[in-house]
């Protein structure tokens, strides 16, 4: 079926990102603040398994290991690829702002399928980094974690509803901030001065891209509100 504008369900996608993120964050904070005997006992009982899995995960995602370097590089490429898919989607809204949400045709949309593959990789990489993290709370409030929660759950909702929302996918551009570290890790750029010059430039580009994405999202929804209000007023007059 052909993609078309449809009933707005942006709150489904937003809830899928916000609820688990803050729910787990509150759980971690409560566990840290209310450190009762039972929690200690449970942690002690599962410590051997946790330590073993964490050690393996740290080895896999560490930038000091070839596997970790490759995974980080793939993550960067996929993030940029996902952002390109997002930009392509925004072109649809130029003619019709209602296409900020569209229904149907997703399963036959090659670009969407590619983005799903990207996001499945982000999910797997997130799980490994979470297991490897020594301090779960610190990991949970990192920018990379927020980006994953803002972009991965909505794609899963899209698969379930056969409906797509542009949403916060522009946040993938924030991965550019990690590029200098990645270039240094791979020894593509060895000069510290070059890296120091690159960092503020990438910060400006990231600010521009993320700011443009946010403004685009808000303007599309505002346009929808104006159209809905106009239709409602016309309906009353009729």
């Amino acid at each position: 079926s052909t993609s078309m504008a449809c009933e707005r369900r942006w709150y489904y996608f937003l809830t899928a990102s916000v609820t688990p993120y803050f729910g787990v964050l509150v759980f971690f904070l409560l566990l840290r603040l209310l450190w009762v005997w039972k929690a200690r006992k449970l942690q002690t009982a599962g410590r051997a398994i946790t330590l073993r899995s964490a050690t393996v995960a740290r080895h896999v995602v560490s930038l000091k290991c070839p596997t970790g370097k490759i995974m980080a590089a793939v993550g960067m490429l996929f993030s940029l690829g996902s952002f390109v898919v997002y930009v392509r989607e925004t072109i649809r809204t130029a003619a019709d702002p209602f296409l900020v949400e569209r229904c149907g045709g997703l399963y036959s949309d090659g670009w969407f399928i590619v983005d799903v593959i990207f996001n499945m990789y982000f999910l797997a990489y997130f799980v490994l980094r979470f297991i490897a993290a020594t301090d779960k709370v610190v990991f949970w409030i990192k920018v990379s974690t927020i980006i994953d929660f803002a972009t991965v759950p909505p794609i899963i909702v899209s698969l379930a509803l056969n409906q797509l929302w542009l949403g916060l996918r522009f946040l993938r551009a924030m991965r550019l901030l990690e590029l200098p570290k990645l270039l240094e890790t791979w020894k593509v750029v060895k000069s510290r001065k070059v890296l120091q010059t690159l960092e503020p430039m990438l910060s400006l580009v990231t600010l521009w891209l993320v700011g443009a994405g946010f403004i685009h999202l808000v303007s599309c929804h505002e346009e929808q509100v104006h159209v809905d209000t106009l239709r409602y007023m016309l309906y009353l007059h009729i």
Side-chain angles (χ1 to χ4, degrees):
S1 58
T2 305
S3 295
M4 61 186 72
C6 50
E7 179 187 355
R8 293 193 300 279
R9 294 179 177 175
W10 58 267
Y11 43 87
Y12 284 29
F13 299 90
L14 197 58
T15 300
S17 293
V18 173
T19 303
Y21 178 81
F22 284 104
V24 175
L25 179 60
V26 169
F27 171 76
F28 283 149
L29 291 174
L30 287 176
L31 199 62
R32 181 165 290 187
L33 292 173
L34 306 175
W35 197 243
V36 294
W37 178 81
K38 285 186 178 180
R40 288 182 180 178
K41 185 176 180 181
L42 286 172
Q43 189 189 43
T44 302
R47 182 169 295 171
I49 298 175
T50 302
L51 287 175
R52 193 179 304 114
S53 59
T55 302
V56 174
R58 287 192 195 104
H59 179 75
V60 171
V61 302
S62 174
L63 291 178
K64 295 180 181 179
C65 300
T67 307
K69 290 167 66 176
I70 292 172
M71 291 193 74
V74 172
M76 174 65 70
L77 291 174
F78 280 9
S79 290
L80 297 178
S82 184
F83 185 77
V84 169
V85 175
Y86 159 78
V87 171
R88 183 179 178 275
E89 285 290 332
T90 62
I91 296 174
R92 298 173 184 266
T93 63
D96 185 359
F98 273 90
L99 287 177
V100 70
E101 289 186 56
R102 63 183 180 92
C103 293
L106 295 185
Y107 304 138
S108 59
D109 186 340
W111 289 89
F112 174 73
I113 298 302
V114 168
D115 202 28
V116 169
I117 294 172
F118 288 162
N119 279 271
M120 292 304 100
Y121 178 85
F122 299 147
L123 179 60
Y125 192 34
F126 167 82
V127 171
L128 285 172
R129 288 184 290 114
F130 173 73
I131 295 172
T134 304
D135 191 322
K136 306 301 184 188
V137 175
V138 172
F139 170 81
W140 211 255
I141 60 177
K142 281 186 175 181
V143 173
S144 58
T145 301
I146 295 173
I147 293 172
D148 287 335
F149 266 92
T151 55
V152 176
I155 287 292
I156 297 174
V157 174
S158 292
L159 285 170
L161 299 180
N162 193 21
Q163 180 168 336
L164 187 67
W165 179 52
L166 281 182
L168 304 174
R169 291 158 64 190
F170 55 83
L171 291 178
R172 277 287 156 200
M174 294 183 71
R175 286 287 190 181
L176 283 172
L177 297 174
E178 300 174 10
L179 185 57
K181 183 179 179 181
L182 195 59
L183 292 175
E184 186 178 21
T185 300
W186 278 92
K187 297 181 180 179
V188 175
V189 178
K190 297 181 180 180
S191 173
R192 188 59 195 167
K193 289 184 178 180
V194 174
L195 291 172
Q196 288 175 344
T197 304
L198 189 61
E199 286 172 359
M201 291 175 60
L202 287 175
S203 296
L204 287 174
V205 172
T206 300
L207 180 63
W208 172 54
L209 293 175
V210 172
F214 179 76
I215 292 171
H216 176 267
L217 179 65
V218 172
S219 62
C220 281
H221 279 280
E222 281 184 347
E223 185 67 25
Q224 288 181 9
V225 170
H226 294 332
V227 173
D228 284 347
T229 303
L230 179 61
R231 286 176 178 172
Y232 179 67
M233 290 174 66
L234 289 172
Y235 174 75
L236 287 179
H237 279 89
I238 294 171

